Amino acid sequence: MPYSPLPRSFYDRDVVVVARELLGKLLVRQVRGRLTVGRIVEAEAYLGRGDPANHSYRGQTRRNTSMFGPPGHAYVYPIHSRYCLNAVTEPAGTPSAVLLRAVEPLEGVAAMQRRRETEVLRDLARGPGRLCEAFAVDRALDGYDLTLGRELWIAEPDAPAAPCETIVTPRIGVTSAHDLPLRFALANCPYVSGRRSLMPLGAGPLGAPARRGGRGAR
DNA sequence: CTACCGATTGACT
DNA sequence: GTCAATCGGTAGA
């Protein structure tokens, strides 16, 4: 069966492991029988304990209730007139989650272009707010069960894409815990957000050529 | 009720 | 590179 959803056991593990392993998986959205699919190329872990950047750091509120629930559900929150999509991880009571920051558009590109009001592939789902717009994810999906395979889920790709190097960096946009390397992304992937040159894990300071202003494809 | 502030984006120097 | 629009969530009076 194509695009069968990852089981709950996938999410019921350490949030950092889940974040890393979500790279390369497929984000699938179904609206009125139409599929929108993208390959996850960037994700961030938000720890269930001792992470001041996590919305749950100061306890449970109306907004972050989904994070306190069982793993394998969505945590969707609004910010700056946009939405951000997370996958809740670890057992219920441990408020950890993985923020999906970018996907490579694969299927349903026309729908994404319509929702995003741009034709530019690279701009369809690069960044958490854009991703939600492209995939028609809003507050109605907060708490939604990602293992059902009906409206929104994550699937294993049929044929794994060419092996890609993973880079690890601090999380983008957070105002605390800058030191924690909890952002994971595919190296040299044009669909990854962020503005800095990205250093492959384990590469020396001068080992990796920084990508400069050139836009490449358009 | 008011005040402050982002897990952002897009426009601009 | 820098910057502010924008609005719901949260805390506090």
Side-chain angles (χ1 to χ4, degrees):
Chain A
M1 173 187 279
Y3 303 140
S4 66
L6 296 174
R8 198 170 314 285
S9 56
F10 177 88
Y11 302 97
D12 194 5
R13 298 181 295 160
D14 181 272
V15 63
V16 176
V17 173
V18 176
R20 203 165 41 217
E21 294 192 12
L22 276 175
L23 295 184
K25 300 290 191 289
L26 303 180
L27 179 65
V28 186
R29 176 79 166 109
Q30 184 171 218
V31 179
R32 291 191 297 276
R34 306 284 183 86
L35 288 184
T36 300
V37 183
R39 182 170 70 131
I40 298 170
V41 296
E42 179 183 358
E44 288 177 353
Y46 287 84
L47 311 181
R49 289 191 179 285
D51 182 0
N54 191 324
H55 290 158
S56 67
Y57 184 59
R58 290 179 172 85
Q60 184 170 343
T61 66
R62 180 190 220 87
R63 173 175 63 163
N64 65 25
T65 293
S66 296
M67 254 198 291
F68 286 81
H73 289 248
Y75 165 47
V76 180
Y77 68 90
I79 185 171
H80 291 284
S81 309
R82 304 295 182 115
Y83 294 97
C84 292
L85 169 64
N86 298 250
V88 175
T89 62
E90 305 188 31
T94 304
S96 61
V98 176
L99 171 67
L100 302 184
R101 286 196 56 94
V103 307
E104 171 186 354
L106 294 180
E107 193 176 323
V109 171
M112 295 189 218
Q113 290 170 325
R114 176 166 22 85
R115 294 169 183 144
R116 286 278 300 130
E117 298 185 319
T118 178
E119 307 268 302
V120 184
L121 285 185
R122 197 173 123 84
D123 290 342
L124 292 182
R126 188 189 44 159
R130 292 163 172 156
L131 184 156
C132 283
E133 193 169 26
F135 280 71
V137 170
D138 64 15
R139 202 132 187 204
L141 288 169
D142 182 38
Y144 185 78
D145 189 341
L146 299 174
T147 68
L148 299 178
R150 295 189 54 91
E151 294 188 57
L152 178 69
W153 68 98
I154 299 172
E156 191 80 39
D158 291 339
C164 244
E165 221 175 348
T166 297
I167 57 106
V168 184
T169 77
R171 294 169 293 186
I172 289 181
V174 298
T175 56
S176 55
H178 284 293
D179 51 316
L180 300 179
L182 293 177
R183 171 174 173 257
F184 303 91
L186 298 186
N188 305 314
C189 175
Y191 298 97
V192 167
S193 76
R195 298 161 170 172
R196 288 249 135 34
S197 63
L198 302 172
M199 172 117 10
L201 194 66
L206 302 176
R211 293 200 307 116
R212 313 193 143 272
R215 289 285 104 86
R218 78 178 154 83

